[in-house]
């Protein structure tokens, strides 16, 4: 009888994680998925090597996971972090589903049905086809090269910035620590990103077509943003995506401006969903049940 492969999540702390529930829905409970809790990365990594085919990796271990990989995907190199490790014939491969999750989330907003169609046709490589389709069609949607504003330059912010640039957006990063963001973009000069401080946030929100807020908490500058700042001034939809899915801050911080905004607000749960779609497909080599994932996310 063929052994059933096992999967899991490493990080600390992870007791709150919804990943087991999502994985169970994605594959109707056919595969085990464990929470590999541990304060130290090395001990959790050894458990992966001994007992698991592939694992998700969450904070604070994404940079250490990247360093362990023998086979590294392009986005992981650019971001400097990985949140998926997979045993392959030639070694440990790493991927970053924060990156692919952003692309799938934006694609689903701009082109409803595209994600499901690509996964139905191309299986585990569906995220690559979605990426190609968005990149080819983005300027047609806006009639120009659209602008993306990424607020924050932590792990999620870096992944979002690279994803937005890969889709074809002109990217600006707003960060509390200017030098940290400046150092990041200097390492990826091919994207020609720019950096601003949070004091310049409102003007950047006005200009942006895509806003991705990755800070875990509210910032004082959100109080300056008005409802009219979310009106698209140059055609095409205006999208606001928040990374925080457990305790989103934008609706409360922006209040009436967000409630009545013309922009499309996307809660971080959607990003989490599409991280699962792309990540689980890579981990198992099989297309997850997207409808089932949506039902429990």
């Amino acid at each position: 009888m063929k052994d059933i492969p096992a999967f899991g999540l490493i990080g600390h702390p992870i007791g709150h994680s919804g990943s087991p529930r999502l994985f169970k829905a994605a594959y109707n409970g056919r595969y085990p998925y464990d929470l590999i809790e541990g304060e130290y990365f090395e001990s959790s990594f050894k458990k992966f090597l001994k007992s698991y085919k592939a694992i998700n990796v969450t904070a604070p271990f994404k940079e250490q996971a990247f360093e362990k990989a023998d086979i590294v995907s392009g986005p992981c190199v650019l971001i400097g972090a990985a949140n998926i490790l997979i045993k392959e014939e030639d070694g440990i491969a790493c991927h970053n589903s924060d990156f692919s999750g952003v692309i799938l989330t934006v694609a689903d907003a701009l082109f409803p049905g595209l994600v499901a169609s690509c996964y139905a046709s191309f299986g585990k490589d569906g995220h690559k086809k979605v990426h190609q389709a968005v990149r080819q069609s983005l300027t047609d949607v806006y009639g120009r090269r659209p602008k993306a504003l990424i607020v924050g330059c932590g792990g999620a912010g870096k992944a979002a910035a690279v994803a937005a640039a890969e889709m074809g957006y002109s990217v600006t990063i707003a960060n509390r620590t200017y030098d940290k963001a400046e150092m990041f973009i200097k390492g990826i000069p091919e994207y020609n990103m720019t950096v601003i401080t949070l004091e310049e946030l409102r003007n950047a929100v006005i200009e942006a077509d895509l806003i991705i807020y990755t800070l875990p908490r509210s910032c004082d500058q959100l109080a300056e943003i008005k409802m009219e700042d979310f009106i698209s001034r140059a055609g095409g939809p205006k999208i606001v995506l928040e990374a925080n899915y457990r305790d989103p801050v934008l609706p409360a911080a922006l209040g009436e401006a967000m409630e009545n905004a013309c922009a499309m607000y996307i809660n971080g749960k959607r990003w989490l969903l599409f991280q699962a779609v792309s990540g689980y497909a890579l981990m198992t080599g099989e297309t997850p049940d997207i409808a089932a994932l949506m039902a429990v996310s």
Side-chain angles (χ1 to χ4, degrees), residues 105-276:
T105 302
V106 174
D108 184 65
L110 292 175
F111 311 104
L114 174 65
V115 173
S117 175
C118 285
Y119 273 94
S121 298
F122 301 102
K124 70 181 181 63
D125 292 322
H127 67 286
K128 297 179 182 178
K129 298 302 180 180
V130 172
H131 182 182
Q132 292 172 4
V134 174
R135 191 170 180 85
Q136 291 169 359
S137 304
L138 193 64
T139 55
D140 294 334
V141 172
Y142 290 94
R144 57 186 166 79
R145 187 184 183 190
K147 298 178 180 180
L149 169 65
I150 313 302
V151 185
C153 195
K158 291 174 182 177
V162 174
E166 274 292 316
M167 285 187 281
Y169 287 91
S170 171
V171 175
T172 295
I173 300 175
N175 198 49
R176 188 173 283 111
T177 308
Y178 184 94
D179 290 348
K180 178 182 177 181
E182 182 74 10
M183 184 179 299
F184 170 64
I185 71 166
K186 282 182 177 179
I188 47 173
E190 61 269 34
Y191 293 123
N192 198 30
M193 297 181 187
T194 58
V195 175
I196 62 172
T197 63
L198 290 180
E199 283 66 31
E200 303 169 87
L201 185 63
R202 186 185 178 195
N203 286 337
V205 166
I206 292 170
E207 294 294 325
D209 302 289
L210 170 65
I211 302 160
I212 305 181
Y213 190 90
T214 70
L215 298 178
R217 293 172 292 278
S218 181
C219 63
D220 294 341
Q221 291 77 14
L222 289 176
E224 301 171 4
I225 297 173
K226 311 299 180 186
M227 184 177 69
E228 57 266 25
D229 299 340
F230 292 105
I231 298 172
S232 179
R233 295 167 184 266
K238 192 149 182 164
I239 298 171
V240 180
L241 169 60
E242 180 170 7
N244 190 339
Y245 63 91
R246 286 197 294 270
D247 188 22
V249 302
L250 291 187
L254 296 173
E256 186 176 335
M258 177 60 74
E259 291 176 13
N260 298 311
C262 298
M264 182 188 308
Y265 172 69
I266 303 175
N267 184 282
K269 289 182 179 180
R270 204 70 173 172
W271 188 352
L272 182 67
L273 163 70
F274 285 118
Q275 285 177 24

Side-chain angles (χ1 to χ4, degrees), residues 8-10 13-27 33-37 56 58 245-246 268-269 272-273 275-277 280 292-297:
L9 168 71
I10 70 173
I14 53 175
H16 62 275
S17 175
S19 292
R21 176 171 52 86
L22 288 170
F23 197 89
K24 181 179 179 181
Y27 298 105
Y33 187 98
D34 302 327
L35 293 180
I36 310 167
E37 174 78 56
N56 288 124
T58 190
Y245 63 91
R246 286 197 294 270
K269 289 182 179 180
L272 182 67
L273 163 70
Q275 285 177 24
V277 170
Y280 294 167
L293 280 169
M294 289 183 172
V296 301
S297 63

Side-chain angles (χ1 to χ4, degrees), residues 10 41 57-68 80-85 94-98 155-156 159 275:
I10 70 173
F41 174 77
V57 182
T58 190
F61 299 144
K62 294 181 183 181
E63 288 80 10
Q64 290 168 280
F66 170 65
E67 293 171 359
K68 288 289 187 181
N83 68 346
I84 295 173
L85 294 177
C94 73
H95 300 273
N96 192 302
S97 65
D98 292 333
Q275 285 177 24

Side-chain angles (χ1 to χ4, degrees), residues 66 72-81 188:
F66 170 65
V72 183
S73 69
C76 290
V77 174
L78 297 168
I79 299 162
I188 47 173

